[in-house]
Amino acid sequence: MENLYFHLNITQDVGHGMTIIFGCCVFIIIAVLLDLETGVKAARKNHEKIRSRILRRTITKILDYLRVLVFGVMIDMLGLAFPWYAIPYCAMLVTLATVFIEGKSVLENYDKMKSAAAAIPDEISRIVKARTLDEAKEIIDLIRESTRKENANE
């Protein structure tokens, strides 16, 4: 009886594939940490509290993304059955999607930093620190005037 066997394309450079998968892991971690950094900067600029829950959520987000990457690697392992499947395409696709998602979040954080709402706590503190009612009214009038000028420029 003839020996039947299922040929897997294991002859490919496994080290090369593992290097790509390791690079994918690093890219995912860097993308999430960049999002964390810009999120913290935006929160500070808007005078929001930075809570430990947010930092824990970042770790959870990294682990969730890496879990999805593991599924991509498993699909890539199945792809070894095909001779043309030379690199971990699915892992790279998962990483690309993750980097786009986190990149969008970074851009949203930059928008929060540039928002006019970021200046509101500073203006409120100026009003509260005013020594007299007239001084507070003068600050409010200055805010109104600058808002009118900004609206006229748009």
Side-chain angles (χ1 to χ4, degrees):
M1 186 171 245
E2 195 174 310
N3 284 341
L4 295 175
Y5 66 94
F6 187 72
H7 174 71
L8 293 177
N9 190 20
I10 306 284
T11 58
Q12 74 173 359
D13 185 5
V14 175
H16 181 68
M18 291 303 292
T19 302
I20 292 172
I21 293 168
F22 177 75
C24 289
C25 291
V26 170
F27 282 149
I28 287 172
I29 292 169
I30 289 172
V32 173
L33 292 178
L34 286 172
D35 179 38
L36 172 67
E37 178 200 17
T38 57
V40 168
K41 282 183 179 178
R44 283 191 180 142
K45 180 126 181 166
N46 291 316
H47 302 282
E48 297 172 4
K49 287 186 177 180
I50 299 164
R51 302 179 193 277
S52 64
R53 183 188 66 204
I54 294 171
L55 302 176
R56 281 193 309 267
R57 196 172 62 202
T58 298
I59 299 300
T60 302
K61 190 190 306 188
I62 289 172
L63 294 174
D64 287 344
Y65 283 139
L66 292 178
R67 282 185 195 105
V68 174
L69 182 64
V70 167
F71 279 103
V73 170
M74 288 191 296
I75 292 169
D76 288 330
M77 289 174 70
L78 292 173
L80 292 175
F82 304 103
W84 51 266
Y85 205 90
I87 58 175
Y89 297 109
C90 193
M92 294 186 325
L93 186 64
V94 167
T95 302
L96 185 65
T98 303
V99 169
F100 277 131
I101 291 167
E102 292 302 306
K104 184 175 183 326
S105 181
V106 166
L107 293 176
E108 289 170 357
N109 289 334
Y110 277 124
D111 286 343
K112 285 181 188 175
M113 283 189 263
K114 294 178 182 178
S115 167
I120 290 174
D122 294 332
E123 300 302 327
I124 291 173
S125 76
R126 282 182 54 203
I127 294 168
V128 170
K129 290 178 184 176
R131 293 186 196 119
T132 64
L133 184 59
D134 290 333
E135 191 177 333
K137 286 180 181 179
E138 184 179 320
I139 294 169
I140 292 170
D141 289 339
L142 287 172
I143 294 170
R144 281 187 188 139
E145 186 61 34
S146 67
T147 303
R148 283 187 193 127
K149 286 180 183 177
E150 287 177 12
N151 290 339
N153 289 337
E154 291 178 356

